[in-house]
């Protein structure tokens, strides 16, 4: 629930509590004006202290309740519109790609070192995407992008342009969504060079990777996504 709406409900609850305790509050019920109204036995007079305050602010209470109803209706309508947009986007192939960061056993390394990161891309969009840049944000460690599979001599490195030890620029094409087969999946291995103490062996390290990519088409859109994941230390 939105915090602004929660605050509004708390304020409404406070008003109801205030009106509930009014009859037992000496200050609110013992003033000369209130007592004078209660002594007036005409048809428009209040029956008791609570009735007096309720009649005095009934217009305000009605307005508050009407506003609360309108806000609830607007929130429900907004959620329904969002769900409808997602359904339409899925039907026409206009969803954003998903990026996941996992881990796999590295080819080499010592106790406490980070295992390899596995970057999994699932393209649900009908348009192809082009990966342009991958940057290791945290830890600020060197890494080498490579293909997923590891052979007898390790993973095959990708042909990329190294900007610095923790940033690589390249152009890797991922096809658009197959209308029949679903999302197109591509997987990269990030061979991270981050040495750790043996005492850290078996613990998880939070890793943050920033990815720049282009959603190809007319027009081509440049986008950026931050991907977080947990990678085990050897």
């Amino acid at each position: 629930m939105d915090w602004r709406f929660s605050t509004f409900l708390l304020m409404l609850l406070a008003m109801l509590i205030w009106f509930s305790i009014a009859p037992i509050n000496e200050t609110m019920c013992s003033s000369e004006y209130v007592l004078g109204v209660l002594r007036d036995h005409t048809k428009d007079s209040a029956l008791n202290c609570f009735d007096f305050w309720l009649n005095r602010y009934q217009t305000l209470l009605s307005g508050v309740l009407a506003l609360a109803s309108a806000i609830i209706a607007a929130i429900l309508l907004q959620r329904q519109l969002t769900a409808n947009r997602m359904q339409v986007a899925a039907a026409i192939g206009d969803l954003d790609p998903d990026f996941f960061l996992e881990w796999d056993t590295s080819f080499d390394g010592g106790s406490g070192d980070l295992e390899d990161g596995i970057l999994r891309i699932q393209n649900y969009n009908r348009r192809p995407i082009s990966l342009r840049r991958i940057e290791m944000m945290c830890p600020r460690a060197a890494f080498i992008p490579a293909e997923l599979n590891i052979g007898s001599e390790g993973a095959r490195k990708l042909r990329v342009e190294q900007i610095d030890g923790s940033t690589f620029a390249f152009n890797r094409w991922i096809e658009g969504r197959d209308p029949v087969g679903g999302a197109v999946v591509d997987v990269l291995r990030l061979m991270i060079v981050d040495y750790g103490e043996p005492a850290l062996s078996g613990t998880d390290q939070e890793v943050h990777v920033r990815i720049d990519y282009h959603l190809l088409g007319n027009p081509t859109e440049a986008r950026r996504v931050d991907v977080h994941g947990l990678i085990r230390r050897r």
Side-chain angles (χ1 to χ4, degrees):
M1 184 181 295
D2 186 81
W3 69 269
R4 291 178 289 265
F5 183 60
S6 300
T7 303
F8 174 77
L9 290 181
L10 290 175
M11 293 175 60
L12 180 61
L13 178 61
M15 291 183 63
L16 293 176
I17 294 175
W18 184 80
F19 277 103
S20 299
I21 66 175
I24 61 175
N25 190 297
E26 295 184 359
T27 303
M28 299 178 64
C29 295
S30 61
S31 68
E32 290 297 329
Y33 178 75
V34 175
L35 293 176
V37 173
L38 295 179
R39 286 193 296 266
D40 185 0
H41 297 294
T42 63
K43 64 178 181 179
D44 296 328
S45 64
L47 298 177
N48 50 48
C49 182
F50 178 79
D51 189 25
F52 168 81
W53 289 108
L54 182 61
N55 290 337
R56 189 176 182 85
Y57 291 103
Q58 62 179 341
T59 303
L60 174 62
L61 284 175
S62 300
V64 169
L65 292 176
L67 178 60
S69 301
I71 291 176
I72 293 175
I75 291 176
L76 294 178
L77 178 60
Q78 178 63 34
R79 291 178 178 176
Q80 184 62 44
L81 290 176
T82 301
N84 291 342
R85 291 192 193 100
M86 291 292 293
Q87 292 175 355
V88 172
I92 65 176
D94 201 26
L95 292 174
D96 292 334
D98 280 339
F99 296 83
F100 305 94
L101 186 60
E102 306 163 350
W103 69 270
D104 191 17
T105 303
S106 60
F107 184 72
D108 54 11
S111 178
D113 296 349
L114 272 181
E115 300 280 20
D116 288 348
I118 303 299
L119 181 62
R120 189 180 304 275
I121 305 105
Q122 297 179 348
N123 187 15
Y124 293 97
N125 202 289
R126 68 184 184 277
R127 296 187 285 172
I129 63 176
S130 174
L131 298 183
R132 307 297 296 179
R133 178 185 175 112
I134 298 180
E135 182 177 2
M136 185 72 61
M137 304 299 295
C138 181
R140 195 67 179 178
F143 75 99
I144 301 174
E147 299 290 355
L148 173 64
N149 297 325
I150 295 181
S152 58
E153 298 181 356
R156 183 167 62 89
K157 300 176 183 178
L158 300 177
R159 293 182 178 179
V160 294
E161 177 186 352
Q162 183 172 1
I163 299 176
D164 56 46
S166 58
T167 307
F168 286 86
F170 54 96
N171 185 8
R172 186 177 180 91
W173 180 284
I174 302 175
E175 293 289 346
R177 187 193 74 174
D178 183 351
V180 178
V184 177
V185 180
D186 192 19
V187 184
L188 300 179
R189 179 178 295 273
L190 308 180
M191 298 187 294
I192 306 172
V193 183
D194 184 71
Y195 305 109
E197 297 293 334
L200 298 176
S201 177
T203 61
D204 292 328
Q205 168 76 48
E206 182 177 1
V207 175
H208 171 199
V209 176
R210 176 166 293 168
I211 301 169
D212 293 325
Y213 69 96
H214 289 172
L215 185 61
L216 303 177
N218 186 18
T220 294
E221 302 175 30
R223 298 186 177 182
R224 169 175 289 178
V225 62
D226 290 308
V227 185
H228 298 262
L230 297 176
I231 297 181
R232 188 175 69 91
R233 290 190 176 272
R234 294 175 67 94

